[in-house]
Amino acid sequence: MAICLISDETLPALHTIMSKLKTIYQCQSCGFSSPKWLGKCPDCNAWNSFTEERESPKALKAKPSLSGSSAPQALSAITGRTEKRAAIGISEFDRVLGGGIVSGAIVLIGGDPGIGKSTLLLQAVGKIADQHGTVLYVSGEESPEQIKLRAERLSINSDHIILLPETVIENVIAYATEMKPSVLVIDSIQTVYTEELTSAPGSVGQIRESAAKLMYYAKKAHVPVFLIGHVTKEGAIAGPRVLEHIVDTVLYFEGDRGHPYRILRTVKNRFGSTNEIGVFEMSDSGLSEILNPSELFLSERPENVSGSTVIASIEGTRPLLVEIQALVSPTSFGMPRRTSMGIDFNRVNLLVAVLEKKAGINLGGMDTFINVVGGFKIVEPALDLGIVAALVSSFREIPVHPKTVFFGEVGLSGEVRAVAQCEARLKEAAKIGFTNAVIPRGNAERLKDQYGLTITGVKNVEDALDHIRH
Ligand code: TYD
Ligand code: MG
């Protein structure tokens, strides 16, 4: 047995060493932990993302099980509860949730600071309180007086909305357990913390631990919980990303602050389909729903101007007509500029190359600018044909027929490939009053109905360009 003598002078030094031993460094982006600080995360390659976290032994304790029993059970022996869904009463919000809130579900709403997350939730809470009873709104960001001011602006006044300015998660859960609210809202997850950890609120450890505690509460008490999470400029650091695997549903509230339109998008949903969107408009009196976004987005479309086309895109299950604008002008510098807003820059470069090589349109000495009108971001490849048409229309200075809609994926050989959900796109175009559609031949051949449109099936880009004339 070794006996170690420690004098009074060495004790403080030993304390420091012991506390150092408990310190770990964690990547704020992906949660990777390391015993020493690292400049670059070996897991997600983020730079400068490591911060000091102190681990407390308490936090390492086993977590309680979700169902109360952790014994193995046969699948057939488990009686499934039918999930109870309650509509909020804001149809665009209900749509992205898959038809309403499910009891015990934990929903994360992420977005840039100032985009309108608190406004959206306060409006939702106003509706929920009227129909389903008491809502507990926990705010670590704003005082009850500030929330009251916002509520006045939104004309919300209810005895059933209880505001709680609290940031210790154990206290929040204690209040909620006593109060049994119909919904619990945490604004925001970055401000709450557990006293079991000594790291600062907003760090990966705190966010994860607090969310885990809220999840056990939600599942045990069958109370739906909404978490608000800020996404920082980098998009990921200490933000909702670290929570995506814990929660049941992840919604992102997006938009451009210069535009009034906001899109609520489902990224993950254990209780419904993903990639669903809800469209809102921010005004002086809060967010209002936009039930017919296609009509609104096209309402300001200039007539008979070259470089403007309309594409029929699909967001989730929802067709959306969006205007694409292109401007092609001779470059004043040696290197032509390629700018795109709302679409992937590389995709536009690829389409420009296809146009040059396969359709003989020489854009080498031209600057090209592409913009998706309304501050939208579109990622689906069905957009390609619309971009190509807009580029060529601007290049040739010939306006595209104003009642023509385009969609189709363009391949590297210049071929136009079929896209999914063709019928839904055509139906929406016909509904809005379009008369012509230029679509992939593969889709055109399989159509059961023309929906009152003159439909042209094209095989390649060159074919499609024949239709860019009045
Ligand atoms: P907020 O909900 O506080 O954003 P977040 O919680 O995502 O940080 O909303 C912030 C912005 O919304 C703010 O710049 C003001 C604007 N706003 C309106 O334009 N109209 C309104 O009725 C409200 C309540 C806010
Ligand atoms: Mg807020």
Side-chain angles (χ1 to χ4, degrees), residues 55-313:
E55 222 174 350
S56 125
K58 265 198 220 164
L60 302 175
K61 270 202 278 180
K63 297 280 186 295
S65 100
L66 284 181
S67 61
S69 149
S70 53
Q73 301 173 53
L75 181 64
S76 55
I78 300 167
T79 48
R81 281 189 306 126
T82 45
E83 66 188 39
K84 270 196 284 172
R85 245 180 227 280
I88 295 175
I90 301 177
S91 61
E92 294 291 290
F93 202 165
D94 285 330
R95 175 210 304 276
V96 292
L97 288 171
I101 34 177
V102 177
S103 73
I106 184 151
V107 181
L108 170 69
I109 301 191
D112 291 338
I115 205 74
K117 299 180 295 297
S118 305
T119 308
L120 177 70
L121 272 197
L122 196 58
Q123 283 182 252
V125 154
K127 297 264 186 192
I128 296 167
D130 287 345
Q131 305 163 55
H132 308 291
T134 315
V135 177
L136 183 58
Y137 191 103
V138 179
S139 182
E141 301 216 329
E142 292 161 304
S143 66
E145 290 75 24
Q146 280 173 305
I147 298 171
K148 174 76 185 170
L149 276 178
R150 178 183 291 129
E152 274 173 3
R153 209 166 151 185
L154 303 171
S155 315
I156 294 171
N157 195 10
S158 168
D159 294 341
H160 297 300
I161 303 177
I162 312 293
L163 302 180
L164 175 65
E166 174 64 74
T167 48
V168 178
I169 199 69
E170 285 82 6
N171 295 350
V172 168
I173 291 175
Y175 278 117
T177 309
E178 195 180 315
M179 200 182 286
K180 297 195 182 67
S182 61
V183 167
L184 170 65
V185 178
I186 309 287
D187 186 0
S188 65
I189 190 69
Q190 271 100 349
T191 54
V192 290
Y193 66 96
T194 166
E195 286 177 327
E196 286 178 8
L197 296 181
T198 51
S199 56
S203 60
V204 172
Q206 285 288 7
I207 289 185
R208 249 199 231 150
E209 199 62 24
S210 307
K213 282 183 188 292
L214 285 166
M215 191 185 67
Y216 290 113
Y217 164 74
K219 304 290 172 209
K220 232 171 75 193
H222 303 300
V223 171
V225 177
F226 284 96
L227 306 179
I228 292 182
H230 294 293
V231 181
T232 47
K233 271 202 213 94
E234 292 79 15
I237 306 291
R241 283 287 156 84
V242 293
L243 292 182
E244 281 183 1
H245 63 283
I246 299 181
V247 301
D248 296 311
T249 304
V250 180
L251 308 178
Y252 272 91
F253 203 37
E254 303 170 346
D256 188 76
R257 270 200 245 165
H259 288 96
Y261 309 122
R262 300 282 182 271
I263 290 183
L264 189 62
R265 192 185 294 276
T266 324
V267 177
K268 164 183 172 178
N269 197 354
R270 284 183 184 148
F271 303 111
S273 83
T274 50
N275 283 327
E276 209 49 90
I277 62 161
V279 187
F280 296 87
E281 183 174 9
M282 179 67 97
S283 67
D284 287 346
S285 52
L287 292 157
S288 45
E289 301 174 69
I290 298 181
L291 299 171
N292 49 358
S294 300
E295 251 166 66
L296 187 90
F297 298 146
L298 298 180
S299 63
E300 285 176 79
R301 195 179 161 218
E303 294 262 316
N304 287 328
V305 177
S306 64
S308 156
T309 53
V310 173
I311 58 130
S313 162

Side-chain angles (χ1 to χ4, degrees), residues 353-366:
V354 170
L355 273 177
E356 290 200 345
K357 184 106 185 182
K358 302 290 170 189
I361 298 200
N362 188 6
L363 296 171
M366 298 288 188

